[in-house]
Amino acid sequence: MQQLVGLVMWKKVLGGTLAVAIGVWMLALIVPQPAPPAWSDVWWWRNQLILLTGVAAWTLMSLIMVLAVRPAWLEKPLGGLDKSYRLHKWAGIGAIVLALLHYGLQLSRSLLADWVGRPVRAPRADWWLNTFRHLAEEMGEWAVWFLAAMLVITLWQRFPYHVWRYLHKLLAVVYLVLAFHAVVLTPPAWWQQPAGVLVGLCTLVGVLCAVRSLAGAIGRSRRHAARVVSVSPQGAGVLEVTCQVSPASRWKHAAGQFAFVTFGRAEGAHPFTLLNADQGDGALRFAIKALGDHTGQLPLQVQPGQTVSIEGPYGCFDFRGDSATEQVWVAAGIGATPFMAWLESMQSTPALAPRVHLHYCVRHAGEAVFAERMAALCARLPSVTLEIHYSDDAGPVTPTALLAGTSPAASVWFCGPQGFAEAVRLGMQQLGRSPARFHQELFQMR
């Protein structure tokens, strides 16, 4: 249920943010003005669209800054930090598209003048910020080009992460530049209307978040120093790393959660799911698959005794909030990690374990690095049945096979590649299963 709430909530937040921006713009249109609106004037409409795209883009950009500081109070309402990052991503895309439209409307002046003739210039209101108007316009222009470049390299997944990370940090500086642009170019009349209140509130909150980001304070209260205890290759490109945090840190996590681990300052923090349940001893185990340059080099870089930084825990991927009497767990490849933690967390209270059909999906036996431990854990949980699928032998497992013998009301908990997740989700719909019963952790943090 938490996953469904998060899915609905992030869409409501995104849509609601845009609705507020449009609403204050419309209110500004109906407020009595010295000169009545020229509804048939193309130049008047161009100016209004510039204002609309500007305030909408600015509202979304401020939302992005709030989400960037990872506020703990938003994690549960949005269904977990992964859902918050999805909102951050789409709000960013929307803000940049609106900013480009805003800038494009500004550039349309010459073209529009050739088409309908030049506008009749009205005297500009006397306003003390007009002194900075030209500078604000130039700074906004450069900021928009930077945002457009960031959109391209963010969507281009092959762009090196460590380079992207530093460029992404610069967005806090860009936000401060755009804050100057927004405040200076907001129409003077707006400051006595809801539109000005919105611009001012967004600017205040966003600037505070940007300063917090530049000060390196994001996640500071949830950071813990830890020491690498052991490093154990498991085969199939999987490295198991055990870390120990100090008991004084009062670390506590729920099975299924993840943490940001920093093995080196140059690469920065990466999210990894915790492989073990919390035993209260500060021991944290991570199973890390070599899926890129950073994770591929970890076996050569991480050594026992090394000090690392761990930030967290994060995530709401927790089967205990599920009201379904029957559950289907789909663990695909390295996606087995949260399920291993779940199984371990139920070992002391097997009678409380739900009725579960656990499917461990791998290509071949050499990739099934958790098979033996998973089978041992399931053997002590009578209500959990385990089935291992080898796609190289029997072909890709189908949603029909995963759901065979289960109730239509059974929920599905999935962790694995996104393409497989979409296939399972589509299969559920084709079988008449409610999409609200599909739960997934999203690890596309970029």
Side-chain angles (χ1 to χ4, degrees):
M1 179 61 70
Q2 185 67 42
Q3 302 288 315
L4 176 60
V5 170
L7 177 63
V8 173
M9 181 60 72
W10 82 264
K11 290 184 177 180
K12 283 186 176 180
V13 171
L14 189 60
T17 302
L18 288 172
V20 169
I22 295 171
V24 298
W25 171 77
M26 294 181 69
L27 285 173
L29 293 182
I30 63 176
V31 170
Q33 302 175 29
W39 301 100
S40 61
D41 186 356
V42 173
W43 289 102
W44 181 86
W45 275 109
R46 170 183 172 271
N47 184 57
Q48 292 304 318
L49 290 175
I50 288 174
L51 293 174
L52 173 60
T53 53
V55 71
W58 185 237
T59 308
L60 286 180
M61 286 179 189
S62 300
L63 172 63
I64 292 166
M65 291 309 305
V66 172
L67 296 172
V69 299
R70 300 199 277 269
W73 57 274
L74 266 181
E75 190 172 357
K76 283 191 176 181
L78 291 177
L81 185 63
D82 57 318
K83 310 304 185 298
S84 176
Y85 271 36
R86 176 171 57 183
L87 174 57
H88 177 90
K89 174 183 177 179
W90 285 106
I93 292 173
I96 295 173
V97 169
L98 285 167
L100 289 171
L101 286 173
H102 178 76
Y103 183 50
L105 286 165
Q106 290 281 7
L107 294 179
S108 69
R109 182 179 180 85
S110 297
L111 182 64
L112 199 57
D114 292 339
W115 181 35
V116 298
R118 294 193 175 278
V120 177
R121 277 189 172 275
R124 183 170 290 159
D126 187 19
W127 179 236
W128 69 275
L129 286 176
N130 286 342
T131 306
F132 308 102
R133 189 176 186 88
H134 182 67
L135 177 61
E137 289 174 346
E138 284 194 346
M139 293 176 71
E141 180 178 348
W142 284 106
V144 167
W145 283 115
F146 182 86
L147 291 175
M150 279 301 301
L151 177 61
V152 172
I153 66 175
T154 297
L155 296 177
W156 180 28
Q157 293 295 316
R158 297 176 68 88
F159 190 84
Y161 174 81
H162 64 280
V163 178
W164 174 86
R165 184 173 71 90
Y166 285 109
L167 291 173
H168 191 258
K169 282 183 174 294
L170 288 176
L171 289 177
V173 177
V174 173
Y175 182 88
L176 294 177
V177 170
L178 288 172
F180 174 73
H181 173 89
V183 170
V184 170
L185 297 181
T186 293
W190 273 23
W191 292 112
Q192 300 178 25
Q193 302 174 22
V197 174
L198 179 64
V199 171
L201 183 61
C202 287
T203 303
L204 175 62
V205 173
V207 166
L208 291 175
C209 291
V211 171
R212 181 176 175 81
S213 173
L214 292 172
I218 296 177
R220 180 181 292 169
S221 63
R222 303 176 81 167
R223 291 181 201 158
H224 306 265
R227 179 176 55 85
V228 176
V229 176
S230 65
V231 180
S232 176
Q234 301 296 309
V238 176
L239 185 72
E240 188 169 324
V241 180
T242 301
C243 300
Q244 180 70 46
V245 298
S246 168
S249 69
R250 297 182 181 178
W251 174 278
K252 188 175 182 180
H253 72 267
Q257 289 191 299
F258 65 93
F260 289 96
V261 185
T262 304
F263 291 107
R265 290 178 61 87
E267 183 65 26
H270 285 257
F272 300 111
T273 300
L274 288 145
L275 182 62
N276 65 307
D278 192 343
Q279 303 298 336
D281 56 0
L284 309 178
R285 298 201 312 273
F286 301 94
I288 303 170
K289 176 80 171 179
L291 297 174
D293 293 340
H294 172 62
T295 50
Q297 292 296 318
L298 282 182
L300 303 175
Q301 297 175 349
V302 181
Q303 303 294 330
Q306 177 180 338
T307 299
V308 298
S309 174
I310 298 178
E311 180 191 329
Y314 292 101
C316 300
F317 195 58
D318 193 337
F319 73 94
R320 293 173 300 178
D322 191 349
S323 60
T325 57
E326 187 178 14
Q327 299 178 12
V328 178
W329 296 356
V330 183
I334 195 62
T337 49
F339 302 107
M340 292 292 291
W342 286 0
L343 293 172
E344 189 176 302
S345 70
M346 296 186 292
Q347 294 300 297
S348 60
T349 54
L352 298 180
R355 184 184 174 192
V356 171
H357 303 266
L358 172 55
H359 299 270
Y360 184 25
C361 307
V362 292
R363 288 179 297 177
H364 49 76
E367 197 177 64
V369 295
F370 301 110
E372 186 175 339
R373 278 186 283 174
M374 189 178 286
L377 291 169
C378 290
R380 294 191 285 270
L381 299 170
S383 62
V384 179
T385 59
L386 171 64
E387 187 172 351
I388 302 178
H389 304 268
Y390 302 107
S391 61
D392 284 356
D393 296 336
V397 62
T398 65
T400 301
L402 295 173
L403 297 172
T406 64
S407 164
S411 61
V412 175
W413 292 80
F414 179 95
C415 189
Q418 185 59 31
F420 190 12
E422 292 302 324
V424 174
R425 192 195 303 269
L426 180 60
M428 288 182 64
Q429 293 178 353
Q430 292 173 343
L431 293 170
R433 304 288 181 101
S434 171
R437 296 193 176 276
F438 182 84
H439 309 274
Q440 177 192 10
E441 191 87 273
L442 303 171
F443 276 100
Q444 193 67 35
M445 297 285 186
R446 172 173 164 178

